[in-house]
Amino acid sequence: MSVDFYWRIGMHGDQRSLTERAATRGDWEPDGPGRIAPALRGGVPDGHAYIEHMADVARAAEAAGFYGGLMPSFPFTDDPWAAAGLLARETRGFRFMIAFQPGFLNPVHAARMAASLQRATNGRVVYNVITGGGGPAQLWWGDEVAHDDRYARTSEFLHVHKGVWKERPYTFDGRFHRVENGALPDALAAQDLPEIYFSGSSAAAIDAAGRHADHYLSWMEPTAALARKFAAVREHSAALGRTPRFAVRVDVVARRTEKAAWDVVRTGFESADPAALAQWRTGDSVGAARSLSFIDGPVSGYRDLEVEPNVWGGFSLLRGGPAFGLVGSYAQVAERIDELIALGVDAFILAGVPHLEEARRVGAEVLPLVTGARRPVPA
């Protein structure tokens, strides 16, 4: 089994380190000492744009052996479709996993847009289909659709998206979308559909993933919980005549020694507020509620959030994003990744702060120790 490793590319600035939360990379924070990409030269802006820093991260990740990069999408980020088109010119075979919510796109227009990008990049587009976690972030988009209905909308979007790409003429009249005699031009229809990584932990999400996903994508969780979730996905997919593949999104703090890795976490935790863990209760995200449920008892020290060896649930206190990730020596983190591969995971989205330096570190020090067969980076 070949294993694909993706690296997360920060789309909204970057911290100097996991222990310093102010973003000094990118133009999302006010000008200040030490800021780069863009920066001040002689007291005036140097004219650089943040896309140049994202290009540095993409090039570094490709050189470090990553198969591609995740392009996240939030109200506070650049648009990943536009950024992927620009970064493709800065890399050779690097894939771009574009995160998007289907509810905000027309499936026919999205097919033409993605097929054009596939044609221009020789097939380097991958989808991270997200359906939204409810709450203020969902309302920012003006989306008031209820949780399970959002997944029904996502499922119908993907049905139409695939149909108009590969069938001609394509006609569909559904609950959310209607197409009459649709079709892509020959040159676009000849492109491969991007692989679909599908996120979501609820029953509605698992149903939609079973119908459409190439990879069921989960945040990192304790091993037993992941095993139960994957078993449910396998059972549901089998009933639909499909065999799922699995991917995990996981943050990493890896250092030469375990103590050095935990020292990074301890330093960050000392300036964090454990009460902020409760923010996961906002919105209707089942995945966020699951993450919170794995933290048993009061949290008074950083090791209280270590739910099993090297699996730490406090990353959301140190930077935005999922709660659980891996902390340990290079060898320990590689061992935990191998355990996930044994669980059936054949794709990973790894992340670390700062994105540039950690891409190089993880690529050089951790990936070579993973015994699962890594898919080679295309030339």
Side-chain angles (χ1 to χ4, degrees):
M1 176 175 71
S2 65
V3 180
D4 294 340
F5 286 97
Y6 290 81
W7 184 252
R8 184 184 191 275
I9 297 175
M11 298 281 293
H12 56 285
D14 199 0
Q15 300 171 215
R16 187 196 303 269
S17 72
L18 195 60
T19 60
E20 300 170 276
R21 303 207 64 175
T24 58
R25 297 158 186 224
D27 46 9
W28 299 87
E29 294 279 336
D31 290 342
R35 201 185 76 175
I36 62 174
L40 297 177
R41 304 280 185 243
V44 298
D46 62 5
H48 290 179
Y50 182 59
I51 189 70
E52 294 171 65
H53 183 63
M54 286 194 278
D56 286 343
V57 177
R59 286 190 293 260
E62 183 174 43
F66 287 93
Y67 188 60
L70 169 66
M71 312 288 288
S73 177
F74 295 101
F76 48 82
T77 65
D78 277 317
D79 179 76
W81 290 96
L86 293 167
L87 296 182
R89 302 296 296 268
E90 303 288 337
T91 51
R92 295 175 300 171
F94 201 63
R95 265 62 176 168
F96 293 93
M97 186 185 292
I98 297 171
F100 69 99
Q101 293 198 42
F104 311 144
L105 289 173
N106 174 285
V108 179
H109 178 65
R112 188 177 69 159
M113 186 165 58
S116 298
L117 199 49
Q118 284 286 69
R119 186 169 180 242
T121 65
N122 196 25
R124 291 196 275 151
V125 179
V126 180
Y127 288 160
N128 174 201
V129 173
I130 52 180
T131 305
Q138 207 66 25
L139 293 175
W140 185 91
W141 298 96
D143 187 17
E144 297 179 323
V145 174
H147 178 277
D148 287 3
D149 287 339
R150 291 202 303 272
Y151 280 98
R153 182 178 62 187
T154 292
S155 184
E156 187 174 299
F157 172 97
L158 291 171
H159 181 80
V160 175
H161 186 72
K162 294 175 181 176
V164 78
W165 193 312
K166 292 301 180 187
E167 299 177 26
R168 62 179 52 220
Y170 180 74
T171 296
F172 180 84
D173 189 3
R175 178 182 173 191
F176 301 96
H177 301 286
R178 183 172 184 273
V179 181
E180 187 169 333
N181 296 322
L184 292 182
D186 290 346
L188 298 185
Q191 305 304 311
D192 289 336
L193 276 159
E195 275 192 301
I196 297 174
Y197 284 64
F198 195 104
S199 306
S201 295
S202 66
I206 289 173
D207 179 69
R211 298 177 188 279
H212 300 289
D214 296 302
H215 281 85
Y216 175 78
L217 172 63
S218 175
W219 288 343
M220 181 65 187
E221 293 183 354
T223 307
L226 273 180
R228 289 193 294 272
K229 181 191 283 189
F230 291 168
V233 173
R234 284 192 182 97
E235 181 180 358
H236 190 82
S237 298
L240 297 170
R242 304 188 77 223
T243 301
R245 303 171 69 188
F246 296 98
V248 172
R249 156 84 171 86
V250 54
D251 274 72
V252 170
V253 174
R255 295 293 185 269
R256 191 166 304 282
T257 67
E258 180 179 16
K259 180 181 182 305
W262 283 114
D263 282 348
V264 173
V265 169
R266 175 184 53 75
T267 303
F269 185 84
E270 287 172 351
S271 60
D273 178 11
L277 289 168
Q279 71 180 353
W280 284 89
R281 295 186 188 279
T282 63
D284 57 14
S285 169
V286 173
R290 282 174 62 92
S291 292
L292 195 58
S293 73
F294 301 132
I295 298 171
D296 185 21
V299 177
S300 58
Y302 68 101
R303 296 300 286 260
D304 292 339
L305 293 169
E306 186 182 13
V307 298
E308 59 187 46
N310 309 115
V311 179
W312 192 65
F315 276 92
S316 58
L317 297 174
L318 309 185
R319 53 94 189 98
F324 283 90
L326 299 176
V327 181
S329 68
Y330 299 140
Q332 288 172 324
V333 169
E335 288 169 9
R336 300 292 87 77
I337 290 173
D338 274 325
E339 289 171 0
L340 292 169
I341 293 173
L343 206 61
V345 178
D346 67 1
F348 293 84
I349 302 170
L350 304 183
V353 173
H355 293 76
L356 177 61
E357 289 86 342
E358 290 300 310
R360 293 171 175 151
R361 184 200 306 274
V362 174
E365 305 289 355
V366 176
L367 295 192
L369 303 179
V370 176
T371 58
R374 183 158 40 124
R375 191 197 295 235
V377 177

